[in-house]
Amino acid sequence: MRRSKLGLAALSAVFFSSLMFVGAAQSAPDAALFGQLPQAHDAAIAPDGEQIAILQNHQGTYFINFIDLTGSRSKLGELRVVGLGDQVKPDYVKWIDNHRVIVSVRQTQMYRDIPIQTGFLHLIDSNTLEANIVVKPPKKTMRQFNNRVLDWLEDDPDHIIMQFASDRDE
């Protein structure tokens, strides 16, 4: 018994010392890698499990990529993407039924020479790739929070409860 404990201790020591040498042999990663944005920001699987929506970054521009897991909607490898616009940063993607997603994005807009952070919800159909902004503020007004969802109403996928500030220009 004592001999098996000594053997186990010796094997453990050899194993852990080899891990130290493996780590020491690897070079440090390039520092530029730490300053890059991740290629995938968020992802969600459709309720029926047949598609994945991925918020992706390509050279600083975000888009949503729909990947068909069954092969029934697109050919293998076929890109089904929708751009989210210039200068936007995504927050999240959420499926509201088996073919529509809501994507929350934010961006900086100028209002009376003051930069203001605004947010919007995009409704995107994965079958047609048609995208619409859910709520647009009236022209010549600035409303910051157009992407505040209070309740997703899981039993009613055609409606959500949102919160808004006043539209009046005060």
Side-chain angles (χ1 to χ4, degrees):
M1 177 93 165
R2 179 170 164 77
R3 204 175 254 186
S4 65
K5 284 186 180 180
L6 286 175
L8 183 60
L11 280 173
S12 297
V14 169
F15 175 74
F16 287 114
S17 65
S18 68
L19 286 179
M20 290 184 345
F21 287 117
V22 168
Q26 293 179 351
S27 62
D30 184 10
L33 295 174
F34 293 101
Q36 293 179 349
L37 294 171
Q39 287 188 351
H41 181 80
D42 191 21
I45 299 174
D48 63 5
E50 294 186 1
Q51 297 183 84
I52 297 177
I54 303 174
L55 283 170
Q56 292 185 285
N57 168 30
H58 180 69
Q59 299 178 346
T61 300
Y62 286 93
F63 60 92
I64 187 149
N65 184 5
F66 294 101
I67 299 175
D68 179 12
L69 301 175
T70 64
S72 63
R73 288 181 175 83
S74 63
K75 296 176 187 170
L76 185 62
E78 179 182 359
L79 285 178
R80 294 173 43 235
V81 299
V82 175
L84 298 176
D86 294 333
Q87 307 298 317
V88 302
K89 303 287 186 236
D91 291 319
Y92 60 85
V93 59
K94 178 174 176 43
W95 287 92
I96 57 172
D97 59 24
N98 290 325
H99 63 92
R100 295 181 300 168
V101 296
I102 293 266
V103 178
S104 176
V105 297
R106 54 188 155 51
Q107 67 187 48
T108 301
Q109 293 183 328
M110 298 301 288
Y111 183 71
R112 296 184 179 168
D113 297 326
I114 300 170
I116 295 179
Q117 188 82 8
T118 60
F120 295 94
L121 293 177
H122 293 265
L123 176 66
I124 304 173
D125 187 306
S126 67
N127 294 331
T128 64
L129 301 181
E130 182 179 325
N132 295 300
I133 294 178
V134 174
V135 176
K136 283 186 180 179
K139 291 188 182 243
K140 297 186 180 182
T141 62
M142 176 63 65
R143 187 170 59 208
Q144 284 185 275
F145 309 112
N146 301 292
N147 60 345
R148 295 267 172 102
V149 177
L150 298 179
D151 193 339
W152 288 99
L153 301 174
E154 299 294 337
D155 295 333
D156 184 5
D158 291 328
H159 299 93
I160 57 177
I161 298 176
M162 298 180 68
Q163 173 185 9
F164 296 102
S166 172
D167 286 335
R168 293 181 298 161
D169 189 14
E170 298 179 18

